[in-house]
Amino acid sequence: MGNLFGHSSSQPSRVGDDVLEGEFTSHPTTTSENYDSFWTQASRAKLTEVEKKFFHHALTISDPDNRNPIPNFTQTIVGSLGTIKIEDKSENSHKKPAMVLVHGYASSNSFWSLVIRALAPHFRLYLVELHGHGRSDRTPEFPSNLSALEAEDYMAEYIEKWRKESDLGDEKFFLVGHSLGAMVSWRYAAKYEHRLRHLILLSPVGVPTQPPNLEERLANAPLFFRFLISRWKSGTSPMDIIRSFGPFGMTIVRSAVRRRMKWMPAHSAFHKVDFEAFCEIIHQSWALPANGERAMNAMLVPGAYAKEPLLGRAQQDLYGPQIPHPSLPISLIYGDPEFDWMTPSHGKTFADILSSRTGSKYVGFQEVPGAGHLVCFDNPTGFVELLMKEVRSAGTL
């Protein structure tokens, strides 16, 4: 995967002009790494096509009043990472600041699909997949026996590799990371704050320290969760389970997504997306060869607590290498305390510590009403409104 505008082995394809005003062009990788598997029925080519279908539908439902035009966007691979570049069709689009959005664990660029149309009038958007997730490369093999900080470094360096091979040049950009992507984005900002305009952490994993009774709570969890915990401790991921079931993996994914939907607020916008296409994205992404998913086992313990909690780092090292420089604006955006299992109160404590640093330029904290951990699916409008409030309050837009 390389230059954003190269690597096209075929003519760009137009999609649904009678339905969409925008243009969706696909630039397949020219490498031989399509990762075709007869057993799992997965390949990167299939994932590319179903991703296109999913975004096609998501764009039509994400702005029913047509307040914002459907932007132009391309699928490609840059610096080994699956990328979707989004631009509106105005003459001055190149003057808009760049915003890079990084999804969370076991997810993909589809996580951002419902907020694209609302953000595109303000930013040049780059949706970037973590290494070993989605359409990203699955080679080289994820190193074994990495410490938590080494695993963070490994994933963050792929973001920097992506930046070097993108068309950003030396432009400072907004970096928005969700969940595990937020933790990787934090590490990137600690190393490369001079590259960033504003760091935005969306319902980040890894903020609080582990509760003293964590092992007891895990031991008393329901049987299904105890099974998942045992797999986690053994280094197995949910993706390994899907791969092991081969052609039956899609059935398991459908069941798992339906189960997850029961936990989502009844008003969640996710209930409007193309269910089959979303499940196929999950299946294709999870069934491809294992790689970056291993970072979770290195960085987190069961219960999704960090081995190196961000809150603990901030308390111990306010100005060291584990924390971005105080001059970098930082925003933390969570879901509703009623629904977001990442516990927004921990984020508020984290924000207060960061803002107490001498020379702190801006630290903001927001909660999106009615949204759970999957903020952009649950309340995309609320998320965009608060993100825009944050960048304007910080003076970064």
Side-chain angles (χ1 to χ4, degrees), residues 25-80:
T25 57
S26 177
H27 297 270
T29 175
T30 55
T31 72
S32 60
E33 296 174 341
N34 193 40
Y35 309 117
D36 289 275
S37 170
F38 176 78
W39 171 243
T40 63
Q41 300 180 0
S43 72
R44 187 150 64 180
K46 291 179 181 178
L47 177 55
T48 300
E49 288 305 309
V50 72
E51 179 185 68
K52 183 190 303 182
K53 177 184 178 183
F54 181 80
F55 272 84
H56 183 142
H57 180 261
L59 285 175
T60 64
I61 66 170
S62 60
D63 190 359
D65 298 327
N66 287 315
R67 290 169 296 180
N68 301 300
I70 295 174
N72 298 324
F73 50 116
T74 58
Q75 288 172 293
T76 189
I77 297 168
V78 181
S80 299

Side-chain angles (χ1 to χ4, degrees), residues 207-227:
V207 172
T209 55
Q210 299 177 33
N213 63 338
L214 177 61
E215 286 298 325
E216 179 182 350
R217 287 167 53 187
L218 295 177
N220 293 323
L223 180 61
F224 175 74
F225 287 99
R226 293 204 304 274
F227 168 74

Side-chain angles (χ1 to χ4, degrees), residues 214 218 229 232 301-305 341:
L214 177 61
L218 295 177
I229 290 166
W232 188 328
V301 300
Y305 289 94
W341 65 282

Side-chain angles (χ1 to χ4, degrees), residues 314 318-319 323 326 330 332 348-365:
L318 287 177
Y319 299 94
I323 191 166
I330 299 174
L332 290 97
K348 183 62 170 66
T349 300
F350 189 38
D352 290 342
I353 291 174
L354 294 176
S355 63
S356 70
R357 296 185 295 167
T358 302
S360 177
K361 183 176 180 179
Y362 180 84
V363 179
F365 176 83

